[in-house]
Amino acid sequence: MSFKDLGVNAALTKVLHTSGIEKPFPIQKATLPDAIAGKDILGRGQTGSGKTLAFGLALMTRLAGRTAASMRPLALVLSPTRELAMQISDVIAPLSRSVNLNSQVVAGGLSYSKQIQALKRGVPIVVATPGRLIDLIQKKHIKLDDIEITVLDEADQMADMGFLPDVKRILDLTKPGGQRMLFSATLDKDVDSLVKKYLKNPVTHSLANEKSTAGNMTHHVLIMEQSHKDLITSQIAARK
Ligand code: AMP
């Protein structure tokens, strides 16, 4: 089974090939055909499973060759932190160029002017954190009416950080009937309310971490003083 067999655009598979990525991971096999067909996706699982390429390849295949009007991107990936947004962008950017799609990170702690200029020129894919995105919406530098695909990455972490009201505000501004893909390790903490309200008959996939072998693990709970944590952690890490 190759990425091409799953329906991924040929120019994208060529770039994957040059990076030595030939065989889809299980989450990619499970989600790509449905995601490329435009269905809503609910992915349960963690970093390391290959979910960035799972949603990234689907959205780039669907939007290949399209252009965005000034300040009106076509796809939005929401991430809880700037660091994750930049990691997602690092995966998407080299691939997106092969299908004439630009992408832009919109996140706090980075220059406003670069983000605003890119949005003004017209950028099809925006990878954003909720706070800076709301800020730029309020300042009228971006409009979400043309968003056809929204990805919520690490939705449980966004809930933990108190971003769900912002996430809901953002989703309410996207084009009705657009595709939504939500990835989360758990559905606690109101993530299920997001799923119920914003995903239509989502295709659900549980994604095991590629490298995890949970069957071989034993869990221990250590109760300790806060001040002992660093020492104990280093002792655990240093043992055979
Ligand atoms: P992610 O869960 O998206 O953070 O991906 C975890 C890591 O797996 C990243 O370093 C990816 O570049 C890598 N990766 C994702 N899919 C594949 C694949 N099909 N073959 C090889 N490496 C991959």
Side-chain angles (χ1 to χ4, degrees):
M1 177 75 68
S2 67
F3 283 102
K4 186 165 162 268
D5 299 330
L6 298 171
V8 174
N9 174 290
L12 295 171
T13 60
K14 224 168 135 184
V15 181
L16 289 174
H17 174 77
T18 59
S19 326
I21 297 183
E22 307 279 359
K23 279 193 158 294
F25 281 173
I27 176 60
Q28 295 155 1
K29 260 189 233 169
T31 55
L32 275 166
D34 286 328
I36 290 170
K39 293 186 185 156
D40 283 3
I41 303 284
L42 171 57
R44 303 278 311 277
Q46 300 151 342
T47 299
S49 55
K51 64 186 161 68
T52 314
L53 280 180
F55 65 72
L57 291 171
L59 78 82
M60 287 184 273
T61 295
R62 294 198 64 210
L63 297 178
R66 298 266 306 275
T67 51
S70 176
M71 297 189 290
R72 293 174 181 271
L74 306 173
L76 172 65
V77 180
L78 277 182
S79 137
T81 63
R82 177 182 67 208
E83 289 72 20
L84 180 62
M86 288 166 76
Q87 279 172 35
I88 295 167
S89 167
D90 287 346
V91 172
I92 287 181
L95 287 155
S96 66
R97 285 191 278 274
S98 74
V99 284
N100 293 321
L101 293 168
N102 292 327
S103 63
Q104 175 63 43
V105 173
V106 166
L110 300 167
S111 144
Y112 272 98
S113 58
K114 188 170 167 253
Q115 295 173 15
I116 292 167
Q117 286 310 318
L119 292 168
K120 208 166 168 189
R121 280 195 300 275
V123 61
I125 304 170
V126 165
V127 184
T129 53
R132 177 62 69 93
L133 183 60
I134 294 267
D135 185 4
L136 293 192
I137 291 168
Q138 283 169 343
K139 292 183 175 137
K140 302 202 184 314
H141 292 299
I142 182 167
K143 288 195 182 309
L144 304 184
D145 319 48
D146 286 359
I147 295 286
E148 296 171 24
I149 306 171
T150 312
V151 179
L152 304 181
D153 198 12
E154 307 213 346
D156 48 346
Q157 206 185 327
M158 289 200 268
D160 273 345
M161 295 168 78
F163 284 143
L164 284 200
D166 281 350
V167 170
K168 289 178 181 170
R169 261 177 85 191
I170 289 165
L171 285 167
D172 287 335
L173 292 171
T174 63
K175 199 167 166 160
Q179 181 185 24
R180 285 163 184 161
M181 298 187 249
L182 183 149
F183 293 84
S184 189
T186 75
L187 295 184
D188 313 340
K189 301 165 241 156
D190 275 353
V191 177
D192 60 338
S193 71
L194 213 54
V195 171
K196 286 198 188 99
K197 178 151 186 220
Y198 293 100
L199 270 64
K200 305 173 300 289
N201 305 319
V203 183
T204 303
H205 297 285
S206 280
L207 18 153
N209 189 320
E210 266 298 290
K211 289 167 197 130
S212 113
T213 48
N216 299 332
M217 276 183 211
T218 316
H219 291 132
H220 299 272
V221 177
L222 306 184
I223 295 168
M224 69 191 74
E225 298 285 332
Q226 177 78 22
S227 61
H228 294 162
K229 280 190 177 174
D230 287 351
L231 175 65
I232 306 236
T233 304
S234 65
Q235 286 173 352
I236 292 170
R239 103 211 119 108
K240 287 209 172 147

